[in-house]
Amino acid sequence: MVSIIIAIIATLVIVAPISVLVANQRSRKAMEVTIGNAESKARDIIDEAIKAADAKKREASLEIKEETIKARHDFEKETKERRGELQKYEKRVLNKEETVDKKAEMLERREQSLTAKEKNFEADKAKVQELKSKHLQELERISGLTSDQAKEQLLSAVKEDVKHETAMLVKEMESRAKEDARKRAKEYVVTAIQKCAVDHVAETTISLVQLPNDEMKGRIIGREGRNIRALENMTGVELIIDDTPEAVVLSSFNPVRREIARIALEKLIVDGRIHPARIEEMVEKATKEVETKMREDGEAATLELGVHGIHPELVRLLGKMKYRTSYGQNALKHSMEVAQLSGLLASEIGVDVRMAKRAGLLHDIGKAIDHEVEGSHVELGVNLCKKYKEHPIVINAVESHHGDAEPDTLIACLVQAADAISAARPGARSETLESYTTRLKQLEEIADSFQGVDKTFAIQAGREIRVMVVPEQISDDDMILLARDISKQVEDNLDYPGQIKVNIIRESRVVDYAK
């Protein structure tokens, strides 16, 4: 049994390698057949790919040739067009060059001609100068005077004649005008002044608010000064709290703001609650109150004068003028006085009284906004009257009441005269001592600057200036012209209310002694 098993195992050992070898040979033959078939197919595929590539290459080559031919054709066409344009430009340039050459030749010929003419002109000029010199020498020989001496004598004679004739004409015209106007003017002015009497209130740039006690000062100042800062910022007014007992000073150049601050502070003192929020509320109430008061004052002025139909904004500005002063004269009162005087003068000479009053009332309306808008009160007043469609007569009166324009109507002349009367009336305006003395000094300096003036005296509170002249240097005719020159110089260089009389005095004194 064992031997049989051993024989089987031996047989298996011998047969197994032989089976493996036979199987390997068979699989190798099959693989070779398969590889041969694959190589054959690959060769066929490669051949077909090569053929297709050749076909594509031939197609691409044909397309490139076609594109090249087309591009060359387009390039040749564009080149021909460019060449044609260049030829046109070349022709134009050649034509312009020919034209420029022709013009250059013409200019050269003209320059040569002008040069020749200039030489001839210089020669002729030299001849004329020589003849003129000989002519002057002959005239000097005949007259016995040089040309400068003859000119001086001629100018002196003409100047004296003109001065004498001018002085006589001015004197005659002034005398005639004075004779015609003196009687009527005095009558009209005196009548108007007698019928018009208006109170004037002199205002300054400060207002005083009384306090119930000095403890109120601390409450007005507030913690770390917050209350006083709030009040100053909201009103634009400076509060001065010093050692003055039971009083606070409000300082501002704007009287409307100062009035608003005064009313607001008085309300706060009565109320007792002083803090920034309450201050803002009271300032707003005071502003509305002042606006209402301005409208009421404007309406009262128009009602008192009987002037109706004025634009509401102009009425408000008239009320605002109550808080405006000029040389201490209240602007609203001054305007009302000018309106009264203009109406009285208009009734005397027989012109429209209502229009005269209207023009007089509105003549200084520009002063209501001259603190807020740049420009003189005359310019601002004219602009306001034009804006609110006032009558041309009123506009001309406003424009001419200080001589900035010529008066076109009698009413404009009346307003100008009434304005001067109101300003020059004693007590109407006030001046500081410094400005008063400065004006007197400037008056004397202006008169002393003229040649022939010996001494100058400003008298009658600056309303008259007496000028003593040297009689040897100033003649009677010169006095008339000198007075006008000094008046003109004063008008141009000084600001003053009313008018200033210029009085020229010339006297000759002979002194001798008996021994």
Side-chain angles (χ1 to χ4, degrees), residues 441-454:
K441 183 179 179 181
Q442 289 176 341
L443 268 176
E444 295 180 351
E445 288 177 351
I446 289 172
D448 288 335
S449 64
F450 287 86
Q451 186 177 3
V453 175
D454 184 19

Side-chain angles (χ1 to χ4, degrees), residues 481-501:
L481 301 179
L482 179 61
R484 296 182 65 83
D485 292 340
I486 293 176
S487 301
K488 182 65 176 174
Q489 193 80 0
V490 170
E491 291 175 359
D492 293 340
N493 295 299
L494 291 183
D495 293 328
Y496 51 89
Q499 61 183 8
I500 297 176
K501 179 180 179 181

Side-chain angles (χ1 to χ4, degrees), residues 12-70:
L12 290 172
V13 169
I14 295 169
V15 171
I18 294 171
S19 299
V20 170
L21 180 62
V22 172
N24 287 337
Q25 288 178 353
R26 288 179 180 175
S27 63
R28 188 180 297 162
K29 288 180 180 180
M31 288 178 63
E32 288 177 356
V33 173
T34 304
I35 289 170
N37 294 332
E39 288 178 353
S40 176
K41 290 182 178 180
R43 281 194 297 271
D44 292 340
I45 292 170
I46 291 171
D47 291 339
E48 290 177 0
I50 290 172
K51 290 178 181 179
D54 290 338
K56 292 288 183 181
K57 184 177 180 181
R58 284 194 297 272
E59 291 178 0
S61 177
L62 289 174
E63 290 179 358
I64 291 171
K65 286 181 181 180
E66 290 178 358
E67 292 292 334
T68 304
I69 291 170
K70 184 179 180 182

Side-chain angles (χ1 to χ4, degrees), residues 238-252:
E238 182 182 1
L239 271 72
I240 302 173
I241 300 178
D242 51 18
D243 296 334
T244 306
E246 298 180 357
V248 173
V249 176
L250 306 178
S251 177
S252 174

